[in-house]
Amino acid sequence: ISKMDGGNQSEVSEFLLLGLGHSWNVEVLLFIIFLMLYLIIVSGNIIIMILIITDPHLHSPMYFLLANLSFVDMWLSSITTPKMITDCLRENKTISFGGCMCQILFVHICGGGEMVLLVAMAYDRYVAICKPLYYSTIMSLQRCIGMVLTSWTVGFVHAMSQMAVTIQLPFCGPREIDSFFCDIPLVIKLACVESDNLNILINIDTGVVTVTSFILLLISYTYILFTVLQSSKTGASKALSTCTAHITVVVLFFGPCIFIYVWPISITWVDKFLAVFYSVITPLLNPAIYTLRNKEMRKALKRFKSYYMSSKGNT
């Protein structure tokens, strides 16, 4: 039986976000925490992009892909976090239908793109460690640009396939979304049609991108680990250190995605925690992991600081 039969049949023009907190004190605390985290995310990822663009020592395929990852992370967080921050100080946390659809579209473009980009970064490490003699030939600038364009294309196609289903759904009430942004499983629940089959369709769509990317990552890092174990201790420790950073990012990114979209747990507080982790914590940790664990990035940061200080002293 359609939900429309027993509900208000007027078209929904906006949705009400319930947010994360239910008291003013909690909301103010969340406002301060997430504002600080968002500023760190934006500044951290911008610093990484500036260092990679300006420092000739970082003009290599790995850092080219890392700069693109920072760009995607910054936008992935910017789609949902600024509204979540401002909503902390609002009693009426509404979002228009168009705004809601835009959030879904851009979250899935960036999310799908990041998955493919992480696969490209794993492939780069595979070639560098398993086929070092052919690295410069295989990982040419053209191939790197092609990988980045592929990641955006896959993200766009994935997002449009989700939107093609969601935007045509009839929404006639209720209009409450128990989260801080428009997440597609929660929005589908509000449609005036039976949503079980739609959820299965969306899960399959997302699962294809997520699971395929995850399997490719597992294959790449398995080959890398076997190669590392057979190589010299000096080279092995350096390669293992780089790969550990990559694997950490992969786990942090794919873990929440799998439990939100592929095998949903359907426990409200868990979903909210995973959504925060996916949109705030992962973009925050990525710059920290890559800069703190990467000697070249630390050296580049020191060179940038010394150049800035010397140029400031000259003026």
Side-chain angles (χ1 to χ4, degrees), residues 10-19 83 87 90-104 163 166-167 169-192:
S10 62
E11 187 178 340
V12 170
S13 60
E14 62 180 17
F15 296 100
L16 182 66
L17 300 171
L18 299 184
K83 176 153 181 63
D87 279 351
R90 288 178 183 165
E91 190 175 343
N92 195 24
K93 302 174 176 63
T94 57
I95 183 169
S96 67
F97 180 83
C100 186
M101 293 301 113
C102 284
Q103 277 196 340
I104 291 172
M163 283 297 295
T166 310
I167 203 164
L169 294 173
F171 296 96
C172 53
R175 63 190 188 100
E176 291 184 347
I177 298 173
D178 196 1
S179 186
F180 60 92
F181 76 102
C182 287
D183 207 4
I184 198 163
L186 299 176
V187 173
I188 285 175
K189 286 179 184 177
L190 302 180
C192 304

Side-chain angles (χ1 to χ4, degrees), residues 162 165-166 184 188 197-207:
Q162 304 265 347
V165 175
T166 310
I184 198 163
I188 285 175
N197 290 335
L198 283 173
N199 279 322
I200 292 169
L201 181 66
I202 293 296
N203 288 348
I204 290 171
D205 185 355
T206 308

